[in-house]
Amino acid sequence: MLWMKKVCIVVGLFLLLTGAAAPFQAQASSRDLTRVTVIFKVDNPDYFWHYPFLGKPLDQITVSSFGKTFTIPSSSDTDKIEIDVPTDYYLRLNIQLQSDDTTLQTIPYISKHRIRSGSTSFTIVLKAPEPQSVKISSDDFEAARP
């Protein structure tokens, strides 16, 4: 009989706490959100979009953040996206480099500082690796000089 009272008390406390906590659940309203603008600039777009990332040129770049997905089409040199971020949260971006509907690489980004109403614009510059001259070295040979 004593265990029955304990079970009733535990169940009653559980119902009381979950019922009482329901009105206080956090919901983000429009006044709690800060509109953040992220500008993607492609350095040398003709070279960037034809560069073979992991052996394939890119068709598009997909950016996901806070439940929204944005697409940066190939051959673009600048694209702007706007994301509503809760105030005092970090801006998290999931950038996917894609070719033929296949994700070649996923790059997670996070802002260095929490989002405040004054810092609402960021710029990300996308660059392909620069071409490099061929360099040959060997312990067994030395370069012949004419």
Side-chain angles (χ1 to χ4, degrees):
M1 192 67 155
L2 184 59
W3 65 272
M4 181 76 113
K5 288 182 181 179
K6 288 182 181 179
V7 169
C8 288
I9 290 173
V10 169
V11 170
L13 284 173
F14 176 74
L15 292 173
L16 178 66
L17 290 175
T18 57
F24 299 110
Q25 290 178 349
Q27 294 181 358
S29 66
S30 61
R31 61 185 164 89
D32 297 332
L33 299 175
T34 301
R35 171 113 344 145
V36 176
T37 302
V38 181
I39 300 168
F40 287 90
K41 290 185 179 181
V42 179
D43 185 44
N44 195 358
D46 293 331
Y47 178 71
F48 178 85
W49 290 108
H50 292 99
Y51 183 84
F53 290 94
L54 300 175
K56 298 179 181 178
L58 299 179
D59 294 329
Q60 66 183 7
I61 296 174
T62 304
V63 180
S64 303
S65 182
F66 288 97
K68 293 185 179 180
T69 302
F70 306 92
T71 302
I72 300 171
S74 65
S75 300
S76 65
D77 60 349
T78 304
D79 207 343
K80 179 174 77 170
I81 63 174
E82 292 183 340
I83 305 167
D84 292 328
V85 179
T87 304
D88 287 333
Y89 274 63
Y90 290 95
L91 174 61
R92 298 173 189 269
L93 299 174
N94 189 25
I95 301 171
Q96 296 180 340
L97 306 178
Q98 297 183 328
S99 176
D100 295 328
D101 295 327
T102 303
T103 300
L104 300 176
Q105 186 175 5
T106 300
I107 305 165
Y109 269 88
I110 185 168
S111 62
K112 292 182 181 180
H113 304 287
R114 295 176 191 261
I115 300 300
R116 305 237 193 284
S117 60
S119 60
T120 59
S121 182
F122 298 98
T123 301
I124 294 177
V125 179
L126 303 170
K127 293 182 179 184
E130 293 295 325
Q132 299 175 6
S133 60
V134 176
K135 182 178 179 182
I136 299 173
S137 65
S138 172
D139 292 336
D140 298 323
F141 291 91
E142 62 183 39
R145 292 182 173 72

